[in-house]
């Protein structure tokens, strides 16, 4: 009798211990969250984090809009934060619960898409450019012509990542226009350039890190961090900054309006603003982060990598994509659908 | 020598006269009229399954000759090899040893679609997706015959088997007997040299079977095609065949005309398979055989002495009074009423039992009581010595 | 002259029949008809700004199937890009059906003519791929045919070719993938039909002077036609709406209807068009099926 009572007591203690530990549902880009970071977080707070992947802002948007997703945090790109905000999908962050808030680097504190960082906290930022296997093509890779006017050696071997805003804006810049323009002349030219180049593309798919590493693709429009990871696996892969203009992106962590584990969410957001932890995030996906003081904790190869440290001559061509007006968005979408057919 | 079926012509000039003529010319005469070259010849045909110790011989060194234009029956119990022999002739299987010749040509290696032989299957094997007319015309269609001629022949065949009204029906809508006739028409349409029939009447009820027996015989005589007929029903064989090959355990036990098979069975198997037979053990003595009960009866033993087996048909056993001349004393043990006949079980002095078959009287009552003492006489020439 | 008792019994049994089938009917309505109705309604609404729908009536979705407004001069013109996608889907689905039939028929025949005990094992082998997730199967094919995949490595290894053969990211890759994925769906109904086939009919055919080819054409194929019809439907319909396989093996560049519909609900941000396309696909498939089944089973006796 006493033995069974004792066993029941232990069991109950065990379950209540488990309940004290808490869970967190993080909805993030694929290949973007460091497992070591999550392990460290769980060790310090006892909160278990489950990550669900998405590969496009639109996917995340559609899913969150649909409701019933069960996520607590989502990490949209800069130009989508206003969309989430205006749609009432994310909430303003309670500063009093974020003691590390001051760690955000000054240049990333007041951004156009979230003045004063009311809704978001930096996760990682980077650029979109050209990842090319230099063994296949030895020419200048710092140009959008790699995919908009494909060189002979790369014809039929280059992938274009199906990110609408990145690709269409690349084309707009290539023909001399401005991002999110409503100028129909410019848009027409951009569309024509894209349509003309499409036959030379091999595919429009994700997964560049693996595909470039195992030589399925000889080149791809790709993000810098993914390109660095590809280079680590396959030294022939180099990253080019298109001089005609290339998009910068920053992904930020936001708190969903219908989050269930709000407490745990705040703990996590606070956690990632610690310089060491931010460095951990960067070390995994090889993208820079927006937390001051994390530099000294970054891995050695990132401190000098051309993908992360933008060479001076290309810095000016990098622009954050603004949130386009609905009219401009419609044009972009129309061009994109025409392209995708 | 007739060349082939001229049934149309025959139909018009009146079959009756023709039939009568044929019937008049029975076995011996017909043999002369029939072709010199055999329609089918099997030479030393063996069909074995399995190997070594477990080998099973469905056919064991079988040789026979089937004459053109005759109605030839393969008769035997199941497993005797008759169907196997038929299938070898058709070409569905190849013999392990020996040859098959059709019209003098060696066809042993030829597939069935190259042999001018058609089969009526036991299960009819009608094509369910084709109408009756299409079934019948199938063989001609495969041969590439012109459409008009196919239609004409199909019409002929339908008339021949009296199924004109059913031309457009699905085969599944027909009765068993009708399906059988379609199978027949289908096999006859390509005018084969030989028609093989694999127990075609076994699925029919008695009345229908008897009708079809007459039909088949009529068809065979009209068309003049060689029929090779397989059955286990000895009555069927006796009524329809020109010659019968009685088979057992992969061998032909006896081959001959029905009358010969019936009245002069060669061995115990043939004697007991065809009709009923009484078997008596006896000892060969000069001029006859001595029964166990002591009497000597006249039988052609060919001079053989020692133990022999005698066979006599029940209908040749005459029941008389015990003191009649040459009568063997016996006692009646029982009787069985068969409608047309009455069978009496009779015991001889030495205990051996025989049956006597007597035509029933008008009232059908047994004329001889149980336990009556009677005398037995065998009709002259009815007792045979069997070979084994 | 039905008695009181008989009438009461008849009424009771009807009532029972309805009661018993209610759960199934409810399930059917909620799970099948209900969502379809929602999709139908969506197809008649206007599109929302960032995806979703705006609750105003609009036929733009339906018009958009065949026509598109030129983005810049706002003229309505025939959307031949849409037609290209339709045609590509139909073409690939038809080819998949034909190839799975050409491969599946001998396979089914082989299995059906094995001794009964061995048959179970062969069927088991054919259906094993079915137990694996579709995505894994598709990636397996990807592994086989990509430039440094199994096939190319092998061929280069034995010196047959010097450059890898480009198979991935083409319509051919999609065809290979779909054939592999849908083959069991063709084999199984064919096997069932051939299993029922009376082999004695083959002998009858040969007996009546048919060559092997003629027996195939005039005896076997007409009788196993129900199996062929079933298998074709099971392959054609899903492959028309295929989405994963064309995406993974085609590389996203050559869309089929499934991918096109998905685009509208994602980056295309045109839910009404996506809904209209879905309904249109459903209608086309239903009509095609009706015609096909009628034509294929014409003249054959259902009991035959």
């Amino acid at each position: 009798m006493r033995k069974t009572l004792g066993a029941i007591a232990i069991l109950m203690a065990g379950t209540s211990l488990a309940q004290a530990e808490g869970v967190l549902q993080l909805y993030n880009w694929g290949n973007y969250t460091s497992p070591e970071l999550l392990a460290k977080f769980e060790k310090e707070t006892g909160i278990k984090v489950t990550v669900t992947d998405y590969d496009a802002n639109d996917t995340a948007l559609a899913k969150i809009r649909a409701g019933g997703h069960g996520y607590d945090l989502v990490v949209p790109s800069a130009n989508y934060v206003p969309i989430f905000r205006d749609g009432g999908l994310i909430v303003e962050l309670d500063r009093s619960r974020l003691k590390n808030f001051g760690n955000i680097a000054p240049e990333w504190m007041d951004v156009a898409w979230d003045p004063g960082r009311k809704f978001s906290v930096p996760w990682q930022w980077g650029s979109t450019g050209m990842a090319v296997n230099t063994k296949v093509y030895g020419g200048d890779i710092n140009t959008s012509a790699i995919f908009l006017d494909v060189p002979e050696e790369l014809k039929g071997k280059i992938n274009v990542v199906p990110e609408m805003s990145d690709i269409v804006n690349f084309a707009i810049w290539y023909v001399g226009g401005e991002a999110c323009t409503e100028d129909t002349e410019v848009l027409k030219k951009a569309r024509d350039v894209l349509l003309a180049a499409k036959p030379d593309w091999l595919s429009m798919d994700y997964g560049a890190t693996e595909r470039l590493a195992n030589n399925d693709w000889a080149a791809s429009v790709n993000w810098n961090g993914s390109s660095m990871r590809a280079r680590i696996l396959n030294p022939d892969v180099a990253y080019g900054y298109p001089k005609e203009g290339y998009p910068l992106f920053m992904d930020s962590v936001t708190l969903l309006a219908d989050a269930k584990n709000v407490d745990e969410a705040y703990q996590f957001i606070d956690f990632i603003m610690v310089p060491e932890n931010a460095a951990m995030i960067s070390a995994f996906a090889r993208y820079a982060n927006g937390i001051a003081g994390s530099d000294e904790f970054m891995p050695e190869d990132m401190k000098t990598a051309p993908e992360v440290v933008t060479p001076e001559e290309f810095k000016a061509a990098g622009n954050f994509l603004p949130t386009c007006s609905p009219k401009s968005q419609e044009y972009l979408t129309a061009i994109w659908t025409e392209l995708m057919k | 020598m007739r060349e082939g079926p001229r049934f149309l012509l025959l139909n018009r000039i009146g079959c009756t006269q023709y039939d009568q003529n044929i019937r008049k010319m029975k076995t011996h005469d017909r043999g002369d009229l029939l072709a010199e070259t055999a329609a089918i010849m099997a030479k030393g045909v063996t069909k074995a399954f399995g190997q070594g110790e477990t080998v099973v011989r469905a056919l064991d060194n079988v040789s026979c000759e089937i004459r053109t234009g005759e109605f030839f029956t393969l008769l035997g119990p199941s497993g005797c090899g008759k169907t196997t022999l038929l299938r070898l002739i058709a070409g569905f299987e190849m013999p392990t040893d020996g040859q098959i010749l059709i019209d003098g040509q060696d066809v042993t290696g030829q597939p069935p679609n190259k042999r001018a032989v058609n089969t009526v299957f036991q299960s009819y094997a009608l094509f369910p997706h084709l109408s009756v007319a299409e079934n019948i015309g199938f063989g001609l269609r495969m041969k590439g015959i012109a459409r008009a001629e196919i239609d004409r022949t199909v019409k002929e065949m339908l008339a021949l088997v009296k199924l004109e009204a059913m031309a457009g029906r699905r085969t599944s809508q027909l009765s068993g007997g009708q399906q059988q006739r379609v199978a027949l028409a289908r096999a006859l349409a390509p005018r084969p040299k030989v028609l093989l029939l694999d127990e075609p009447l076994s699925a029919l009820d008695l009345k229908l079977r008897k009708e079809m027996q007459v039909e088949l015989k009529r068809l065979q005589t009209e068309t003049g095609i060689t029929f090779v007929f397989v059955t286990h029903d000895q009555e069927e064989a006796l009524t329809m065949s020109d010659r019968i090959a009685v088979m057992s355990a992969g061998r032909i036990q006896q081959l001959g005309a029905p009358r010969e098979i019936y009245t002069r069975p060669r061995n115990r198997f043939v004697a007991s398979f065809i009709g009923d037979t009484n078997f008596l053990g006896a000892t060969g003595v000069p001029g006859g055989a001595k029964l166990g009960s002591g009497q000597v009866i006249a039988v052609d033993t060919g001079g053989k002495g020692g133990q022999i087996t005698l066979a006599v048909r029940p209908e040749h056993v005459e029941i008389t009074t015990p003191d009649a001349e040459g009568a063997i004393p016996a006692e009646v043990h029982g009787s069985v009423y068969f409608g047309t006949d009455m069978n009496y079980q009779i015991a001889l002095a030495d205990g051996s039992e025989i049956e006597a078959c007597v035509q029933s009287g008008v009232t059908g009552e047994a004329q001889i009581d149980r336990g009556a003492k009677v005398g037995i006489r065998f009709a002259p020439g009815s007792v045979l010595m069997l070979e084994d | 002259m039905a008695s009181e008792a008989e009438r009461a019994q008849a009424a009771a049994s009807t009532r029972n029949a309805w009661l018993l089938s209610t759960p199934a009917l409810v399930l059917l309505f909620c799970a099948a008809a209900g969502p379809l109705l929602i999709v139908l309604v969506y197809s008649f609404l206007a599109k929302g700004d960032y995806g979703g729908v705006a609750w105003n009536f609009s036929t733009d979705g339906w018009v958009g199937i065949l026509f598109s407004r030129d983005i810049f001069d706002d003229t309505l013109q025939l959307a031949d890009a849409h037609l290209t996608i339709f045609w590509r889907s139909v073409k690939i689905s038809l080819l998949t059906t034909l190839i799975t039939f050409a491969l599946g028929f001998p396979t089914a025949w082989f299995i059906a003519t094995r001794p009964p005990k061995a048959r179970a094992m062969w069927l088991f082998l054919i259906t094993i791929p079915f137990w694996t997730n579709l995505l894994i199967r598709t990636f397996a094919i990807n592994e086989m045919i990509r430039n440094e995949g199994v096939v190319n490595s092998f061929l280069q290894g034995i010196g047959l070719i010097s450059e890898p053969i480009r198979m991935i990211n083409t319509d051919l890759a999609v065809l290979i993938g779909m054939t592999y994925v849908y083959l069991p769906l063709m084999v199984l109904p064919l096997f069932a039909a051939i299993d029922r086939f009376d082999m004695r009919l083959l002998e009858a055919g040969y007996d009546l002077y048919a060559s092997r080819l003629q027996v195939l054409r005039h005896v076997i194929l007409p009788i196993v036609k129900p199996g062929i019809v079933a298998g074709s439907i099971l392959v054609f319909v899903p492959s028309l709406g295929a989405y994963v396989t064309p995406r993974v093996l085609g590389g996203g560049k050559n869309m089929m209807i499934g991918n096109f519909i998905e685009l509208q609900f994602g980056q295309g941000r045109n839910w009404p068009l996506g809904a209209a396309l879905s309904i249109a696909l459903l209608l086309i498939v239903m009509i095609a099926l009706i015609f096909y089944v009628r034509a294929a089973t014409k003249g054959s006796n259902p009991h035959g």
Side-chain angles (χ1 to χ4, degrees):
Chain A
M1 183 61 179
R2 285 187 56 189
K3 266 204 193 152
T4 13
L5 271 178
I8 296 175
I10 293 176
L11 268 175
M12 286 184 63
T15 43
S16 54
L17 255 180
Q19 274 169 0
E21 274 177 11
V23 290
L24 184 63
Q25 297 286 349
L26 173 61
Y27 194 33
N28 202 351
W29 294 81
N31 258 334
Y32 217 36
T33 315
S34 164
E36 287 163 359
L37 178 84
L38 298 181
K40 187 175 176 201
F41 182 66
E42 191 175 341
K43 202 155 142 258
E44 281 184 22
T45 62
I47 299 172
K48 188 159 162 44
V49 183
T50 312
V51 183
T52 313
D53 286 354
Y54 57 85
D55 55 21
N57 282 304
D58 281 300
T59 314
L61 182 63
K63 184 109 195 217
I64 303 295
R65 269 248 187 83
H69 44 80
Y71 305 125
D72 306 307
L73 298 169
V74 68
V75 189
S77 302
N79 48 351
Y80 275 74
V81 172
I83 300 178
F84 275 85
R85 177 193 66 208
D86 294 339
L89 303 170
I90 56 177
V91 292
E92 211 173 309
L93 294 170
D94 182 359
R95 297 279 175 80
S96 63
R97 298 169 85 163
L98 298 171
K99 59 182 194 302
N100 292 322
F101 193 78
N103 288 346
I104 300 180
E107 65 261 37
W108 302 118
M109 184 67 89
D110 212 3
V111 283
W113 67 83
D114 186 16
R117 283 289 180 182
K118 292 226 185 74
F119 290 86
S120 62
V121 154
W123 177 259
Q124 295 187 72
W125 67 273
S127 58
T128 315
M130 306 293 134
V132 182
N133 186 326
T134 45
K135 264 233 182 84
V136 180
Y137 178 68
D140 180 20
I141 60 172
N142 293 304
T143 163
S144 307
I146 296 279
F147 84 99
L148 288 172
D149 187 7
V150 186
E152 266 315 304
E153 298 90 322
L154 291 176
K155 282 204 173 144
K157 298 187 184 160
I158 178 172
N159 173 68
V160 173
V161 82
E163 275 293 326
M164 176 175 72
S165 18
D166 287 352
I167 302 301
V168 182
N169 281 302
F170 260 126
I172 293 177
W173 279 322
Y174 187 72
V175 300
E178 283 181 17
C180 287
T181 181
E182 292 182 19
D183 181 347
T184 49
E185 277 306 310
V186 167
L187 288 165
K188 251 200 212 159
K189 275 199 251 171
R191 176 196 62 183
D192 295 338
V193 158
L194 284 169
L195 288 176
K198 189 181 174 189
D200 293 329
W201 301 341
L202 170 63
S203 53
M204 294 181 75
D205 208 350
Y206 296 101
T209 318
E210 294 83 30
R211 306 280 235 282
L212 286 167
N214 67 14
N215 287 318
D216 273 347
W217 296 343
S220 177
V221 177
N222 199 14
W223 297 290
N224 59 334
S226 163
S227 302
M228 182 173 175
R229 297 204 303 275
R231 177 168 63 77
I232 292 175
L233 293 168
N234 181 352
D236 295 326
V237 178
Y239 184 70
Y241 293 86
K243 52 185 181 284
E244 300 85 356
Y246 61 91
L248 295 172
F249 66 88
M250 170 168 260
D251 298 319
S252 312
V253 182
T254 57
L255 177 59
L256 286 163
D258 42 5
K260 296 239 176 51
N261 305 298
V262 181
D263 255 343
E264 292 83 350
Y266 272 107
Q267 289 190 58
F268 188 75
I269 297 175
D270 213 22
F271 181 75
I272 63 171
M273 290 194 284
V274 173
E276 286 163 298
N277 301 334
M280 222 186 239
I281 296 174
S282 292
F284 176 73
R286 298 285 196 250
Y287 293 98
N289 62 63
I291 304 299
S294 64
D295 278 348
E296 52 181 296
F297 300 105
M298 297 280 259
E300 274 308 311
D301 54 3
M302 280 185 77
K303 294 186 186 163
T304 51
E307 293 91 353
V308 184
V309 181
T310 315
E312 271 310 312
E313 63 265 37
F314 298 121
K315 272 204 179 140
N319 300 298
F320 274 98
L321 289 175
T323 313
C324 300
S325 66
K327 182 99 184 125
S328 156
Q329 189 70 32
E330 232 183 88
Y331 282 128
L332 284 192
T333 313
I335 296 179
W336 185 246
T337 21
E338 224 188 295
L339 183 62
M340 284 295 277
K341 297 167 202 171
Chain B
M1 172 182 118
R2 267 187 310 210
E3 289 162 13
R6 292 208 209 107
F7 38 87
L8 263 196
L9 198 58
L10 295 173
N11 264 328
R12 290 208 187 111
I13 63 175
C15 308
T16 357
Q17 180 62 34
Y18 185 78
D19 278 11
Q20 281 177 0
N21 291 340
I22 291 298
R23 248 181 250 122
K24 281 191 208 141
M25 299 188 282
K26 262 316 185 178
T27 340
H28 171 76
D29 302 341
R30 273 190 94 199
D32 286 350
L33 186 71
L34 296 173
E36 294 288 316
T37 56
I40 298 183
M41 201 141 67
K43 280 186 179 170
V45 170
T46 304
K47 179 71 181 169
F49 297 104
Q51 303 234 350
E53 294 282 311
T54 53
V55 70
V56 170
R57 286 207 173 75
L59 286 176
D60 197 354
N61 201 6
V62 168
S63 298
C64 69
E65 214 178 86
I66 301 175
R67 303 186 190 134
T68 311
E70 80 171 328
F71 194 117
F72 189 89
T73 300
L74 297 170
L75 174 67
S78 43
C80 69
K82 57 191 192 294
T83 303
T84 312
L85 183 56
L86 199 77
R87 288 172 63 82
L88 287 177
I89 298 172
F92 299 130
E93 289 181 54
M94 301 293 153
T96 318
D97 208 358
Q99 289 174 301
I100 309 266
L101 291 95
I102 298 183
D103 250 13
Q105 254 192 321
D106 187 347
V107 298
T108 318
Q110 276 187 359
N113 50 14
K114 295 267 189 326
R115 306 192 190 191
V117 166
N118 288 123
T119 311
V120 178
F121 296 89
Q122 189 172 8
S123 64
Y124 312 142
L126 297 178
F127 299 122
H129 61 293
L130 299 175
S131 69
V132 165
E134 285 167 341
N135 261 283
I136 297 177
F138 190 82
L140 297 167
R141 211 167 118 215
M142 292 302 115
K143 275 178 136 174
I145 310 259
R147 196 51 190 285
E149 184 163 339
I150 298 184
D151 289 342
R152 221 178 338 120
T153 312
V154 168
K155 267 220 191 89
E156 267 177 45
M157 289 297 127
L158 285 168
L160 195 65
V161 296
K162 307 203 181 78
L163 281 178
E164 297 97 320
M166 305 286 171
R169 296 265 186 100
R170 294 277 132 198
T171 54
S172 54
Q173 296 171 309
L174 303 177
S175 70
Q178 290 168 327
Q179 287 185 353
Q180 209 261 4
R181 280 186 277 162
V182 174
L184 199 51
R186 184 179 72 172
L188 284 173
R191 291 173 219 230
K193 291 186 180 145
V194 181
L195 187 68
L196 307 175
L197 301 102
D198 187 0
E199 302 202 50
L201 309 180
S202 56
L204 306 175
D205 60 66
L206 192 59
K207 205 91 218 262
L208 200 51
R209 198 171 338 152
K210 290 218 184 287
E211 279 173 26
M212 282 310 300
Q213 285 169 10
V214 176
E215 271 299 303
L216 277 175
K217 186 66 186 171
R218 175 184 73 86
L219 269 169
Q220 198 270 331
T221 37
E222 267 179 30
T223 62
I225 298 178
T226 313
F227 272 33
V228 180
F229 190 86
V230 163
T231 181
H232 59 266
D233 183 343
Q234 39 117 341
E235 204 184 288
E236 228 166 56
L238 289 174
T239 52
M240 298 167 78
S241 328
D242 288 328
R243 287 197 302 158
I244 305 177
V246 182
M247 296 180 68
S248 161
R251 294 215 171 96
I252 296 184
Q253 301 295 332
Q254 188 169 357
L255 198 163
R259 196 166 309 194
E260 192 186 312
I261 301 269
Y262 188 80
T263 56
R264 311 226 157 277
R266 246 183 43 207
N267 57 29
R268 203 182 178 103
F269 175 78
V270 178
S272 57
F273 192 75
I274 312 265
D276 291 323
T277 308
N278 292 309
F279 295 108
L280 290 169
T283 329
V285 294
K290 184 167 172 190
L291 294 178
S293 46
Q295 295 83 359
V296 174
I297 43 179
V299 64
D300 183 7
T301 58
K304 195 165 175 216
Q307 285 290 86
I308 54 173
T309 311
L310 300 177
V312 60
R313 301 273 180 204
E315 64 267 25
H316 297 145
V317 177
E318 186 198 335
I319 306 179
T320 65
T321 50
D323 50 6
E325 190 191 323
I328 302 160
E331 188 179 309
V332 172
H333 275 185
S335 63
V336 181
Y337 179 55
F338 276 102
T340 47
D341 316 300
M342 194 66 132
N343 256 27
Y344 291 101
Q345 277 100 36
I346 298 170
L348 299 180
D350 65 340
S352 41
E353 292 219 348
I354 58 171
E355 271 181 20
C357 183
V358 175
Q359 213 165 33
S360 299
V362 168
T363 57
E365 275 176 32
Q367 268 120 6
I368 308 170
D369 298 323
R370 236 165 154 254
K373 296 269 192 278
V374 295
I376 296 299
R377 279 208 293 235
F378 301 120
S382 67
V383 182
L384 292 175
M385 181 190 77
L386 296 179
E387 272 175 24
D388 49 30
Chain C
M1 342 178 288
S3 68
E4 266 303 312
E6 279 181 330
R7 263 181 278 142
Q9 194 192 40
S13 75
T14 318
R15 200 173 45 236
N16 282 338
W18 274 108
L19 278 175
L20 280 174
S21 40
T22 302
L25 288 173
V26 169
L27 193 66
L28 260 180
F29 184 75
C30 291
L36 271 183
L37 276 174
I38 296 177
V39 173
L40 186 62
V41 167
Y42 270 20
S43 68
F44 284 106
L45 298 176
K47 61 179 179 181
D49 275 336
Y50 291 107
V53 288
W55 285 91
N56 324 312
F57 179 80
S58 161
T59 52
D60 278 347
W62 286 95
V63 171
I65 296 180
L66 286 179
F67 299 96
S68 59
R69 258 165 224 292
D70 186 288
I71 342 172
F72 303 112
D73 36 37
D74 221 24
T75 52
L76 208 60
Q77 39 179 243
L78 193 66
D80 44 31
H82 291 199
L83 294 175
T84 313
I85 298 181
F86 290 151
W87 173 238
R88 184 185 291 132
S89 301
V90 170
K91 189 181 69 171
I92 293 188
S93 303
L94 278 176
L95 280 174
T96 305
T97 310
L98 284 172
I99 297 178
T100 48
F101 176 71
L103 292 175
F105 189 83
T107 310
W109 185 270
F110 174 78
I111 301 179
T113 48
R114 294 307 99 204
K117 284 196 203 137
R119 244 178 259 170
M121 180 203 74
W122 287 105
L123 282 177
F124 174 75
L125 283 177
I126 279 282
T127 51
I128 281 182
F130 240 27
W131 306 358
T132 2
N133 182 286
L134 172 64
L135 206 49
I136 297 181
R137 271 182 278 160
T138 310
F139 272 109
I141 292 286
N142 185 25
E143 265 309 304
M144 302 236 4
I145 61 176
R146 66 183 182 89
N147 283 349
E148 290 179 8
V150 175
V151 172
N152 276 318
S153 305
F154 174 71
L155 289 176
Q156 282 184 294
I158 63 174
L160 217 59
I161 52 172
S162 52
E163 281 283 311
I165 309 175
R166 227 307 276 302
M167 291 179 282
I168 193 66
N169 292 124
T170 55
D171 277 358
L172 174 67
V174 177
L175 200 54
I176 294 176
M178 303 245 277
T179 304
Y180 172 61
V181 165
Y182 292 115
L183 190 60
L185 285 178
M186 175 63 87
V187 169
L188 291 175
L190 279 180
F191 166 78
I194 296 176
D195 201 35
R196 277 197 303 262
F197 178 78
D198 184 357
M199 293 290 169
R200 290 175 296 192
L201 293 174
L202 292 182
E203 282 187 350
Y206 289 132
D207 184 71
L208 292 163
Y209 312 110
S211 65
R212 296 181 88 91
L213 215 59
Q214 283 175 313
V215 163
L216 181 67
R217 197 176 134 216
H218 295 287
V219 179
I220 300 176
L221 287 182
I223 297 182
V224 302
K225 204 159 34 167
I228 300 179
V229 170
S232 303
I233 292 176
L234 282 178
V235 171
F236 184 74
V237 173
S239 56
L240 202 54
Y243 159 68
V244 171
T245 308
R247 182 72 179 72
V248 171
L249 295 175
K253 243 188 80 181
N254 299 318
M255 289 202 287
M256 285 176 60
I257 296 184
N259 310 107
F260 190 47
I261 294 178
E262 192 256 350
L263 179 68
Q264 307 313 320
F265 288 96
Q267 289 179 334
R269 299 183 195 190
N270 193 342
W271 287 28
L273 176 58
L277 282 167
S278 308
I279 302 282
L281 182 61
L282 181 67
L283 287 174
I284 293 176
V285 168
M286 269 183 9
I287 294 175
L289 275 183
I290 292 175
F291 274 115
Y292 181 48
V293 174
R294 277 248 201 96
T297 54
K298 180 173 59 161
S300 46
N301 189 337
H303 303 295

